[in-house]
Amino acid sequence: MPTTHPFLLYGATGYTGRLLARAANERGLRPILCGRDEPRLAAMASELGLEYRVARLDDGLDEALRGVQVVLHAAGPFSSTCRPMVDACLRVGVHYLDLSGEVAAIEGVFQRGAEARRRGVMLMPGAGFDVVPSDCLALHLSRQVRGARRLVLGISGLETISRGSFRTLAEGAGQSILIRRGGNILGIVPGSLERELDFGSGPRPSLAMSWGDVSSAYYSTGIPDIEVYCDAIPALRMMVMANRWFGGGLASDAGRLGLELQARALPDGPTGEQRAGRQGVIVAEVEDAAGRRLRGRLRTPEAYGFSCTTALALVERVLAGDLETGAQTPARVYGPDFVLSFAGVLREEF
């Protein structure tokens, strides 16, 4: 069997984890597959010719990290899964990457920044489509508008989501939408903040969402006022309105059971045919105190595939020793042009 690289892929049997494992193999990486479901891990490891280790987030992580340099954590929802993995990485001295796009999870990681520096560990949440392209675009524009006070980001291309992504969205039932004002994170009523954004085919209605950049973009750019919007496709609008009017019920035990049953009824994730030919589009606008504005747009390949591309590129950087200790964002460490190194990415200003 070829030599295993000292990198652990946790959550390897989930939808995105399986995509990552196969993409890693295609890049010549040899991750150690890890998770809690031994039969599924064994089958995948046999298929790909990889090593696997079994560990739960509450048991066995330190042993699973033996001989590992970096973890790519792909098991969400990250609001409940990232803390035990970060704890283990800090105990053992392993660098941490994840695919989180959750504001609370990213904030929680950044609260561990000082401890990570002391231990010589890098913690980098948001290594996928959440938040690499938006982080890079935000930093690119902010460097051209010195003293920018306001950042607006828009996300399009999320028409199909995995079962795990649905569970992450369902966790927000009954909760406020998060934005940043004056450097502080605030909650607003779902559906109460809407604007039109141009994703390339004219202005489209977009709804404010609790997206990871509300946290990460602040650490990358220092901009104190941040809002993130998603293209208001019908399914998203229905979900936001249901949260606004029935959030209390959805957040109850019965409501959460209903959401979980709905999640179980969904396919594991979009098929290769459903993902083929799709694009992600990020738009951004920065504004300074004098009202000077600069807008930009970034086109990427389809979100799930692009998450694999960016996350594995970051793994390779870390394995090569190209990193900064502490809690970090992708654009701050690797620069706003990092995203332009990938095929199919186009950036424009307007």
Side-chain angles (χ1 to χ4, degrees), residues 178-327:
L178 301 178
I179 62 173
R180 195 179 283 272
R181 286 285 185 272
N184 298 312
I185 294 176
L186 306 176
I188 62 171
V189 175
S192 62
L193 195 57
E194 181 174 348
R195 63 176 292 166
E196 291 193 333
L197 295 171
D198 185 354
F199 295 101
S201 56
R204 290 183 54 85
S206 303
L207 291 167
M209 295 291 290
S210 297
W211 196 264
D213 295 271
V214 171
S215 176
S216 57
Y218 176 70
Y219 297 108
S220 293
T221 69
I223 295 175
D225 293 356
I226 301 173
E227 300 165 8
V228 184
Y229 295 79
C230 285
D231 186 6
I233 56 175
L236 175 63
R237 187 175 290 278
M238 289 177 60
M239 184 177 298
V240 169
M241 290 301 103
N243 192 22
R244 179 173 184 175
W245 299 112
F246 307 111
L250 294 174
S252 67
D253 290 344
R256 293 201 178 279
L257 176 59
L259 290 170
E260 175 58 25
L261 292 174
Q262 186 175 348
R264 292 177 186 176
L266 294 173
D268 198 19
T271 64
E273 291 76 16
Q274 290 172 324
R275 292 169 40 228
R278 292 189 177 273
Q279 274 191 326
V281 183
I282 313 291
V283 297
E285 175 185 290
V286 295
E287 181 179 356
D288 66 13
R292 189 167 71 100
R293 296 178 183 175
L294 182 63
R295 298 183 179 95
R297 185 185 298 122
L298 189 73
R299 299 181 185 277
T300 77
E302 176 273 333
Y304 284 100
F306 195 55
S307 286
C308 295
T309 299
T310 60
L312 293 172
L314 290 169
V315 166
E316 289 174 333
R317 293 283 190 109
V318 177
L319 288 173
D322 181 7
L323 59 94
E324 293 185 31
T325 60

Side-chain angles (χ1 to χ4, degrees), residues 149-202:
R149 303 294 301 167
R150 184 166 182 255
L151 168 65
V152 171
L153 285 162
I155 316 291
S156 182
L158 303 176
E159 291 85 357
T160 56
I161 64 173
S162 69
R163 185 185 302 152
S165 296
F166 178 86
R167 285 191 169 108
T168 297
L169 289 172
E171 275 204 338
Q175 299 181 17
S176 300
I177 298 299
L178 301 178
I179 62 173
R180 195 179 283 272
R181 286 285 185 272
N184 298 312
I185 294 176
L186 306 176
I188 62 171
V189 175
S192 62
L193 195 57
E194 181 174 348
R195 63 176 292 166
E196 291 193 333
L197 295 171
D198 185 354
F199 295 101
S201 56

Side-chain angles (χ1 to χ4, degrees), residues 53-141:
R53 298 176 183 177
V54 180
R56 299 175 60 88
L57 287 167
D58 59 358
D59 182 45
L61 281 182
D62 289 18
E63 179 61 23
L65 295 178
R66 175 175 42 82
V68 169
Q69 290 182 18
V70 58
V71 165
L72 177 55
H73 183 41
F78 295 92
S79 58
S80 56
T81 66
C82 73
R83 184 181 180 90
M85 182 60 79
V86 168
D87 286 344
C89 286
L90 291 173
R91 282 195 304 269
V92 179
V94 172
H95 303 298
Y96 171 91
L97 303 172
D98 74 28
L99 298 179
S100 175
E102 301 164 37
V103 177
I106 295 174
E107 282 292 299
V109 170
F110 271 85
Q111 291 171 7
R112 313 294 294 278
E115 182 180 359
R117 281 192 298 274
R118 289 195 302 271
R119 295 179 180 271
V121 168
M122 183 172 80
L123 307 176
M124 182 176 286
F129 185 79
D130 315 355
V131 296
V132 169
S134 46
D135 195 44
C136 288
L137 182 58
L139 184 57
H140 171 71
L141 296 178

Side-chain angles (χ1 to χ4, degrees), residues 38-51:
E38 183 165 14
R40 294 177 68 191
L41 280 170
M44 180 183 292
S46 176
E47 174 192 347
L48 299 177
L50 297 173
E51 178 185 346

